[in-house]
Amino acid sequence: MAAICGASWLGYGALARQTLAPLFTARLIAQTFILLLLALLVQIPTMAAYVLATHALAPQTKVDDLLAASTIVMFAASIPISFAGWGVREMSAIAALGAVGVAVNDAFAAAIVIGAGSILAMTFLLAVGGAAQGGKHSDEKALEAAIPTRDYAQALAWCLPIAAAVSVLFQIYVPIGTGLLNVNLADPIALLAGSLFLLQAITTRTLPRWRVGGVNIAAVAATVMLGASLLIGASRFGLTDWALINRFVGWFVLLAFAATGALITTVAGRKGLRVMLLSYVGAALGVAVIEIVLVAISELTNELPQLVEPGNIEAFALNRNFFAFQLLMAACVGIVLIESQRLRIVTLALLMAALWYSGSRSGWLAFLTTMVAAISTRHASIKEIAFGLAGAAACIGAIAAIAALNSSPGAQLGAISGPELLPSSGSTAERLLSMTRGWEMFLDHPIFGAGLGAFRNLNIRTGDSVIPLLIHSTPLWLMAELGLIGLIVFAAPGLTILITQFRLARTEPMAAIAFLCIVSFAVMGGPAEMIYQRTFWLIIGATLAVPALATSES
């Protein structure tokens, strides 16, 4: 709710009021109520069918557990990434129903029964509907023709990217077979928006246009490289879920995020792009405020357990480095697009305070580098950054001071001691181990790499971690698994964009945002693996989309 309110306040609020206020008529409200009732009439019998079919096959399972699990299966099957839910329904049924004790065979059989029943029901409804359509009178058809139509495609081109900009901050991990699948709440939105962007290109028979030439070729080359690396890995150690789903399929999700950002730019121009980007900044500020409040409550209340760990807050990114990167992306956009100097300072103060409590050392380094880059492009001043730093210090100091007054002598307070400035011996050893083994893998396979998922397949574990170790460096990961060829395929377009957008950054705000985002990505990507951060691809796709930005100010 904080993210939605922040996005509305800073981004889409005024536009939404202007656009939607005339549409909220009594007729619309009545139609919405009827649609909700119809939705219930569809969903309740569907859930009953799941429960009855599964309970007949697994009578030992509790009905309330079946109700909960079937909700997950119904939601997964409704996501528009399959044909009528086939495949997704069966996989989600095995996972969700299996979690409540239903055997794999029984869960699969129940899903097949539901799928077949759905096809039969739809066939019957289409037959009845076709007969009814043929019997319509000419006056009814004339009345329908007289009803004004709305451009729903354009409405989606506005709504989907804005929704993705807010939802991209929220991450979950879903267990699959041998590991965890990294899922973002914006993934279904991005897949739908990316499909719409692709459909527009197919309909107009034109390739997407970008601010920098060769982007389409670079995307194809990277996809081919990942596909080849997947085959190399499969031939050497077999096909793994991590390589296939997280890395290869995940790459298409990243392309969908880039297309989502480009969608609003190509349809709505600079105005739409500005609304989407400011919505992201507002949402990030909402999450940052919540985290700071939770830190304050944790430090000020001695009787209750800590809600968060000061110096290691992760928000909904579920990783402090990833959360720091989300804050960095918000800073890159905010210092360029927020017009009010006072609001820019407040934004920087809140983002820096949240960044402090994240404890991400690579995040601090990237933030410092990004601010220097912003000063060089004349989109930020030393005075503004200094005031923002003072505001963040005041916020942190106030929480620490009040916590000290409420604490017993000798108590350890995270708000006072702050995050660890130097990495622990365990963290250093883990990072060095990943880099050393990654470098060794590169030396063994220098040209095309060891194959997608090769390092994860080593199954290196450190300490009490149940998750295999990953390479803590984006370029080193590319070198180890994709080789020098893969590094060049990914790095060359990034370097080209960095140079070209730096030349335009002083006069073109969107070029400045693209430049600052790549600077942040490059710095954080050195000691951490950041290439699969969806926020980066959403913003880069939006700022690089050419037509409206290159030719007009509309």
Side-chain angles (χ1 to χ4, degrees):
M1 292 303 299
I4 292 173
C5 291
S8 175
W9 164 65
L10 196 58
Y12 65 82
L15 177 66
R17 287 193 299 272
Q18 297 172 3
T19 306
L20 299 179
L23 301 178
F24 277 99
T25 62
R27 179 182 177 185
L28 177 63
I29 295 174
Q31 288 178 333
T32 303
F33 180 72
I34 292 173
L35 286 174
L36 290 175
L37 289 179
L38 290 174
L40 286 175
L41 288 176
V42 172
Q43 299 299 333
I44 292 177
T46 303
M47 178 176 288
Y50 273 104
V51 172
L52 290 173
T54 309
H55 192 265
L57 295 169
Q60 77 282 359
T61 308
K62 296 180 180 179
V63 173
D64 55 347
D65 288 341
L66 293 178
L67 287 170
S70 63
T71 305
I72 298 173
V73 180
M74 291 167 60
F75 171 75
S78 67
I79 299 175
I81 58 174
S82 64
F83 178 74
W86 287 101
V88 177
R89 181 192 301 107
E90 288 69 33
M91 289 190 297
S92 59
I94 291 173
L97 294 174
V100 297
V102 180
V104 173
N105 294 338
D106 294 335
F108 183 79
I112 292 294
V113 168
I114 300 301
S118 298
I119 290 180
L120 291 175
M122 288 303 299
T123 302
F124 173 76
L125 290 176
L126 287 173
V128 174
Q133 182 71 23
K136 278 193 174 182
H137 298 293
S138 58
D139 55 343
E140 292 177 340
K141 295 181 179 179
L143 180 61
E144 288 182 353
I147 297 176
T149 58
R150 297 184 176 91
D151 190 347
Y152 292 102
Q154 187 169 13
L156 284 175
W158 273 92
C159 296
L160 292 177
I162 293 174
V166 178
S167 304
V168 73
L169 294 163
F170 300 90
Q171 199 86 8
I172 59 175
Y173 290 103
V174 178
I176 56 162
T178 58
L180 297 174
L181 176 63
N182 190 347
V183 178
N184 191 287
L185 295 187
D187 285 350
I189 301 172
L191 290 172
L192 185 58
S195 300
L196 183 59
F197 180 76
L198 182 61
L199 181 62
Q200 287 184 346
I202 295 174
T203 302
T204 59
R205 297 183 180 180
T206 57
L207 291 174
R209 297 176 56 196
W210 309 95
R211 175 188 294 274
V212 180
V215 172
N216 292 322
I217 297 175
V220 172
T223 304
V224 172
M225 190 67 224
L226 285 170
S229 183
L230 180 68
L231 295 177
I232 292 173
S235 66
R236 287 177 176 164
F237 50 82
L239 190 63
T240 64
D241 290 341
W242 174 261
L244 177 61
I245 300 176
N246 286 64
R247 292 306 189 185
F248 186 67
V249 176
W251 169 249
F252 290 94
V253 175
L254 297 181
L255 293 179
F257 272 91
T260 300
L263 177 65
I264 196 169
T265 303
T266 55
V267 170
R270 185 180 295 269
K271 179 180 179 181
L273 175 57
R274 181 183 180 85
V275 168
M276 188 200 76
L277 292 179
L278 286 177
S279 295
Y280 171 74
V281 177
L285 284 175
V287 173
V289 168
I290 289 294
E291 293 299 307
I292 294 172
V293 169
L294 290 178
V295 169
I297 295 175
S298 296
E299 294 293 355
L300 301 181
T301 308
N302 297 327
E303 291 79 10
L304 297 176
Q306 286 193 332
L307 300 174
V308 294
E309 180 184 351
N312 193 31
I313 62 174
E314 303 174 341
F316 299 95
L318 304 184
N319 181 289
R320 66 179 184 177
N321 287 326
F322 297 164
F323 177 52
F325 187 75
Q326 291 177 346
L327 298 175
L328 278 171
M329 294 295 101
C332 292
V333 175
I335 59 178
V336 175
L337 290 187
I338 295 178
E339 297 177 352
S340 168
Q341 185 183 53
R342 182 176 299 178
L343 184 55
R344 282 200 304 273
I345 293 173
V346 172
T347 299
L348 284 175
L350 291 173
L351 293 177
M352 281 192 276
L355 186 62
W356 167 260
Y357 286 122
S358 74
S360 171
R361 287 171 287 271
S362 59
W364 302 339
L365 178 61
F367 187 86
L368 176 62
T369 307
T370 302
M371 291 302 101
V372 173
I375 294 173
S376 70
T377 59
R378 298 179 182 176
H379 285 282
S381 65
I382 297 177
K383 179 181 178 181
E384 288 178 350
I385 296 173
F387 276 123
L389 181 61
C395 176
I396 296 168
I399 294 176
I402 299 175
L405 293 176
N406 291 344
S407 66
S408 58
Q412 295 295 322
L413 298 174
I416 295 177
S417 61
E420 296 179 358
L421 296 179
L422 296 177
S424 64
S425 57
S427 175
T428 302
E430 177 181 310
R431 192 172 300 276
L432 289 177
L433 176 62
S434 75
M435 291 185 174
T436 302
R437 297 295 296 273
W439 180 254
E440 293 173 352
M441 182 174 286
F442 165 67
L443 293 179
D444 292 336
H445 309 279
I447 305 302
F448 293 102
L452 203 61
F455 193 87
R456 172 94 174 198
N457 191 62
L458 295 178
N459 205 28
I460 303 173
R461 300 177 189 270
T462 57
D464 297 329
S465 176
V466 297
I467 301 176
L469 182 66
L470 299 177
I471 299 177
H472 291 294
S473 173
T474 298
L476 190 55
W477 168 71
L478 290 170
M479 293 167 64
E481 296 194 356
L482 280 72
L484 278 177
I485 301 298
L487 178 65
I488 293 172
V489 166
F490 277 86
L495 186 60
T496 301
I497 294 172
L498 180 71
I499 295 173
T500 57
Q501 299 315 289
F502 173 70
R503 294 172 179 172
L504 300 172
R506 292 188 177 184
T507 57
E508 171 56 70
M510 299 310 159
I513 293 174
F515 168 69
L516 294 177
C517 286
I518 293 179
V519 169
S520 298
F521 174 84
V523 176
M524 279 208 75
E529 208 293 275
M530 308 300 297
I531 204 167
Y532 280 81
Q533 291 303 300
R534 294 159 174 82
T535 307
F536 173 77
W537 295 96
L538 178 69
I539 296 175
I540 285 295
T543 54
L544 290 186
V546 168
L549 295 178
T551 58
S552 74
E553 296 292 324
S554 61

